[in-house]
Amino acid sequence: MAKKMGIVALLLFGVYLLCMYWYIFHSGGGTVPKVFQGTVADPVMFMSEKELFLSGEYSKIRNFLFFIATPLEWLVYAFILLTGISRYFEKVATAQTKWKLLRNAGYLFLLSLLLYLVLFPLDYYRYYLSKSYGISTQAFSSWMRDGIIDFWVNFGTSLIVVSVIYWLIKKSEKRWWLYTWLLTIPFTIFVMFIQPVVIDPLYNDFYPLKNKELEAKILSIADQAHIPAEHVYEVNMAEKTNALNAYVTGIGSNSRIVLWDTTLNRLTDNEILFIMAHEMGHYVEKHIYFGIAGYLVLTLGGLWLTSRCMRWVIRRYGQVLKIKKMGDIASYPLFLLITSILLFASNPLTNYVSRYQETRADQYAISLTGDRESAVTAFQKLTISGLSEVNPQLLVKWFRYTHPPMLDRIDRVAEKEGQKKEAPVKEEQKKEQQKQ
């Protein structure tokens, strides 16, 4: 039975892979509609031929990798269960100590190490791809260091979460999902509070913005927006990437507005002020807190569905999957499999909400700065730096895009009194027109 289920899973994954390959590379989506051609939103008007070509190639490969990576993880979880590896790891950990926490730690370390090694080739290829297309500037040793930090941060977090969850399952197999959710509320808030000062500095160096003149301008518009900001932080990302970014992180007294140094190096002051006004829009409209609330609601539903699904799967296929009961930590890969499927399925909804919030933040930034030209050029430079696809295919937009596609963003911020702004003619085109 286990062999048959494994073969069926492989066949389904193979069919899915072929379908996604056709959709991403051969369905013909992602073109710029006629209504946008020749406007400032048209990438032909602000990207070189080489950048356009690289953007098309890079986006397709990344989109394809996204759609196969998560189902590949599902396949790995299923393999770990069907082959009895999870049960074996539990036995090894149990034989080493009588302390429950140490048993959990031993099991999770073995499982985490196996997942890290199995998925390493895909992670490395993503790094190699980003490096070869000029997005990443990170040395291999630095990339490995970040990967090892990720491993231990995730391991430590998982040990706490998994130990609590399986203790609750043993106490109440029917209501563990509710008790887990109740504990999720303070845990989520605590992690968001400490992230800017504890977790983020493990990866990069953060410091107050060095350009005090620019900081004064940013704090001035923050004052206009009634935001009690004292510092703007910059982070040294140039040694890792050519991409541009700025973001808001943390809550309460640890909330921060952060600028990548690549953004500071490549955008003008007015473009940076628009980006900062956008981030302030998130603060003013309390998107972080709405995000926490939405996350907690989805977590409640997700935990309830996970509980129901795990009980049904174990009751029907427990023997095949080598799972005796839900409270055994050997069932953890099944927990990961179900929650991963639910998270993937929820992407269209969560991304839709996120895109709406990003649109609202763009509108707020325009109302605060009134500088549409800087907004347009900032988005154009963001597109070039990340070789972004301005008009992705529908499934790509639904499942991947937490921000509106650049075609929509540029078009919206360029609009004035209902008119779409025409793009300036490129220098080469001007010469050609003069010849004619």
Side-chain angles (χ1 to χ4, degrees), residues 109 146-158 203:
F109 177 77
D146 283 353
I148 292 170
I149 292 173
D150 269 341
F151 176 89
W152 287 109
V153 169
N154 291 335
F155 171 75
T157 305
S158 297
Y203 299 88

Side-chain angles (χ1 to χ4, degrees), residues 269-318:
D269 281 6
N270 285 341
E271 289 165 348
I272 291 171
L273 289 177
F274 170 78
I275 297 295
M276 288 290 93
H278 169 95
E279 298 305 330
M280 292 173 192
H282 287 304
Y283 178 92
V284 169
E285 300 213 350
K286 296 179 171 53
H287 290 163
I288 291 177
Y289 298 100
F290 282 120
I292 293 173
Y295 168 77
L296 292 175
V297 170
L298 285 176
T299 301
L300 177 61
L303 286 170
W304 177 76
L305 281 172
T306 300
S307 174
R308 297 291 295 269
C309 291
M310 283 186 74
R311 268 189 284 176
W312 181 83
V313 171
I314 292 171
R315 186 167 59 248
R316 183 157 185 175
Y317 300 106

Side-chain angles (χ1 to χ4, degrees), residues 38-57:
T39 69
V40 289
D42 185 354
V44 171
M45 307 309 293
F46 61 86
M47 297 178 79
S48 67
E49 287 186 15
K50 182 180 179 182
E51 288 167 343
L52 284 167
F53 175 76
L54 292 176
S55 172
E57 273 195 338

Side-chain angles (χ1 to χ4, degrees), residues 18-34:
L18 290 173
C19 290
M20 290 312 305
Y21 180 84
W22 176 85
Y23 179 76
I24 298 295
F25 291 97
H26 299 291
S27 67
T31 56
V32 176
K34 275 191 176 182

